[in-house]
Amino acid sequence: MDNNSNNIIVLMVCPVSNYLEQEIEKSFKVFKLWHFEDKEQFINTHKDSIQAVVGSAAAGADAELIESLPKLEIVATCSVGLDKIDLARCKEKGIRVANTPDVLTDDVADLAIGLILAVLRRICESDRYVRSGEWKKGEFKMTTKFTGKSVGILGMGRIGTVIAKRAEAFDCIIGYNSRTEKPNLNYKYYPNLIDLASNCQILVVACSLTEETQHIVNRQVINALGPKGVLINIGRGLLVDEHELVSALLQGRLGGAGLDVFEHEPDVPEELIGLENVVLLPHVASATVETRKAMADLVVGNLQAHFGKKPLLTPVV
Amino acid sequence: MESIGVLMACPMNTYLEQELERRFNLFKFWTVSDKTQFLKAQQNNIRAVVGNATAGADAELIDALPKLEIVSSFSVGLDKVDMVKCKEKGVRVTNTPDVLTDDVADLAIGLMLAVLRRLCESDRYVRSGKWKKGDYKLTTKVRFTGKTVGIIGLGRIGMAVAKRAEAFSCPINYYSRTEKPNLKYKYYPSVVELASNCHILVVACPLTEETRHIINREVIDALGPKGVLINIGRGPHVDERELVSALVEGRLGGAGLDVFENEPHVPEELFGLENVVLMPHVGSGTVETRKTMADLVLGNLEAHFLNKPLLTPVV
């Protein structure tokens, strides 16, 4: 990188990690949008100098932000999901986009399996049972076996594929739904999501969030999964009709749920807080020390590549 | 067979109890206030004992039941049955192997994920409303994929744990009384060496006099401040006092425990720790498996009293 790199201005739109901030600051000048009370005024003042935006699953670059930054050249997101970026607008304006695929695949898949085991075997509930002293009064109830259950995967991309491989080690029968059938896969393809939900006991949401997939898991899908079915969401909150999910759980129309994502993070529907057949996580699927470092390195690497006029490491657009 | 006296050592499963009551003359040991008196009175009636991980047939009980022919354990572990005395007296012993292997292995993996990825702590964070106040600072959450798993005891359950861990790209090392041929897993001739060469140590061997406190201070120190202990065997496999002090002092990174030395008592110092996950001995505790285990106990008893070969004999 040349000596002038420290003049390149990067706008971070949300906090990600201290490590990422420190690393970006080594090579670039950074503005942190969340430090400014009057965001509009800040953007007005600095709009002609901001050349890069760094986002995450929480916030990215929508049409409004892109329009207000005429010098914007690249949006680098510390996530694999691109739902917070207006990709069409970026393409239109020749703005590069980079994300963090692959480095987080294993962690997200591990969490999906962890959620399945936690829900079916009531791991968190049992832990509460012991810590509260209840075990001294009586045995914990019986739970449900995971090995051999049928697992349906919505979205057979990098993450879905790796989840399937892990579930196979538990002798699970794998079915999937995806925009197109994947060749050479040993798993049964269901062209219709409701059919997949009717034919599996555990449905894992692992597809991207786009306009088409918003609320793809709706009342019909939830009803098809049924009173013994379990929904695992490690995708995006908006993939599931949360309102329908909550009422299905309260009414017993759905057996249980393991959720890492919600429609309005960090708000979680209060009704879920009291349920024992759910496990609720604060969007931590890629949140291990190892992976968050690898993701941050990829964000910085992409920025350095772009401004060093080299090929992007993980370009989307 | 309704006249055959069967002594159930402790409550273990409603379905099993009901079926035993239906098919035999069932005595529920835990409902008896004067056990000595009871045994004297019934010693010629009781021909079978049904036990589990909590209570079985020790030397004293076996000696008190001269007509005892069979002990059928609702467990795979036989540490609560005096096997030597049974052999001596020609008392048959059965257990419930295989049918619970998957559930126990599943729980071992579940505990690993729960400890490393702080699942229970994170769930508490959401339920308490803390997430609204700030992102969960994940300074201690560690990736599971690729971590080296060390298994003590490569029997049915140990092998099932290994198979699952392999799907997470975990290298597998093990300790066992003898090295197993033709395995792609690396053998270590001592538990301390195994503990020095793995990130996650799983106890999956039977409890015997030799394996009591097999996890001692030396092993715990070898596993170290980043190491995680998973116990899905028996509480007495681990020197619990040493384990607690190691966790409290940070000499051990974390633990996932389904069993304890003095169940249902769990050392209270563990309750305040975020790097442990504590289960109330539920390794085989699913509806599906407990029914299959119960049917195996019943099947073994019926086979014995019909002079047919036992389904899952140990002795």
Side-chain angles (χ1 to χ4, degrees), chain A residues 230-250:
Chain A
V230 171
L231 179 73
I232 303 293
N233 192 0
I234 44 88
R236 285 290 181 264
L238 268 170
L239 287 164
V240 174
D241 184 334
E242 203 160 89
H243 190 59
E244 286 294 339
L245 173 66
V246 172
S247 71
L249 285 164
L250 290 175

Side-chain angles (χ1 to χ4, degrees), chain B residues 25-190:
Chain B
N25 183 16
L26 182 66
F27 297 100
K28 301 180 200 180
F29 208 22
W30 64 96
T31 63
V32 168
S33 41
D34 188 338
K35 290 181 164 62
T36 316
Q37 172 77 332
F38 163 81
L39 289 172
K40 275 209 182 93
Q42 299 297 342
Q43 57 173 232
N44 289 324
N45 291 330
I46 293 169
R47 293 167 64 187
V49 164
V50 170
N52 72 351
T54 306
D58 58 12
E60 198 184 327
L61 183 67
I62 296 167
D63 277 334
L65 299 173
K67 299 291 164 75
L68 183 63
E69 298 171 29
I70 178 169
V71 174
S72 189
S73 193
F74 184 68
S75 68
V76 65
L78 293 159
D79 44 290
K80 289 292 201 286
V81 179
D82 191 323
M83 299 295 291
V84 171
K85 189 136 282 219
C86 286
K87 278 183 201 144
E88 211 181 271
K89 292 187 166 251
V91 172
R92 306 304 305 278
V93 177
T94 70
N95 62 348
T96 61
D98 297 311
V99 297
L100 49 67
T101 299
D102 289 328
D103 268 357
V104 178
D106 288 357
L107 195 78
I109 302 293
L111 280 170
M112 290 180 211
L113 284 162
V115 175
L116 264 70
R117 299 296 299 269
R118 295 285 196 266
L119 296 183
C120 304
E121 187 188 352
S122 307
D123 176 86
R124 279 195 286 276
Y125 191 81
V126 174
R127 287 180 198 255
S128 68
K130 289 197 182 120
W131 191 19
K132 291 192 230 198
K133 300 178 192 164
D135 254 358
Y136 185 35
K137 289 290 172 259
L138 43 111
T139 48
T140 49
K141 282 184 292 185
V142 156
R143 182 189 288 164
F144 175 44
T145 285
K147 290 289 186 299
T148 305
V149 174
I151 304 176
I152 299 174
L154 216 53
R156 287 170 288 244
I157 293 172
M159 287 292 282
V161 173
K163 175 188 164 207
R164 284 153 176 74
E166 278 192 282
F168 295 80
S169 308
C170 296
I172 310 288
N173 298 337
Y174 74 101
Y175 164 82
S176 176
R177 280 168 303 182
T178 53
E179 187 171 357
K180 316 269 174 192
N182 301 326
L183 268 193
K184 49 201 150 131
Y185 310 143
K186 183 164 181 189
Y187 174 70
Y188 283 86
S190 78

Side-chain angles (χ1 to χ4, degrees), chain B residues 265-284:
Chain B
H265 298 287
V266 173
E268 300 216 347
E269 299 95 312
L270 297 179
F271 293 170
L273 299 178
E274 293 287 19
N275 57 345
V276 302
V277 174
L278 311 167
M279 307 273 90
H281 201 153
V282 290
S284 65

Side-chain angles (χ1 to χ4, degrees), chain B residues 201-261:
Chain B
L201 183 63
V202 184
V203 182
C205 59
L207 178 65
T208 63
E209 273 173 39
E210 291 75 37
T211 62
R212 191 179 171 276
H213 284 195
I214 196 173
I215 306 292
N216 55 20
R217 190 184 176 103
E218 205 191 343
V219 170
I220 290 168
D221 283 341
L223 192 46
K226 294 200 160 135
V228 173
L229 178 72
I230 303 291
N231 193 1
I232 42 97
R234 286 289 182 265
H237 275 129
V238 176
D239 183 334
E240 205 160 88
R241 220 156 45 94
E242 286 294 340
L243 173 66
V244 171
S245 70
L247 285 164
V248 166
E249 291 165 26
R251 284 182 290 110
L252 180 64
L257 309 168
D258 186 40
V259 286
F260 302 86
E261 285 205 272

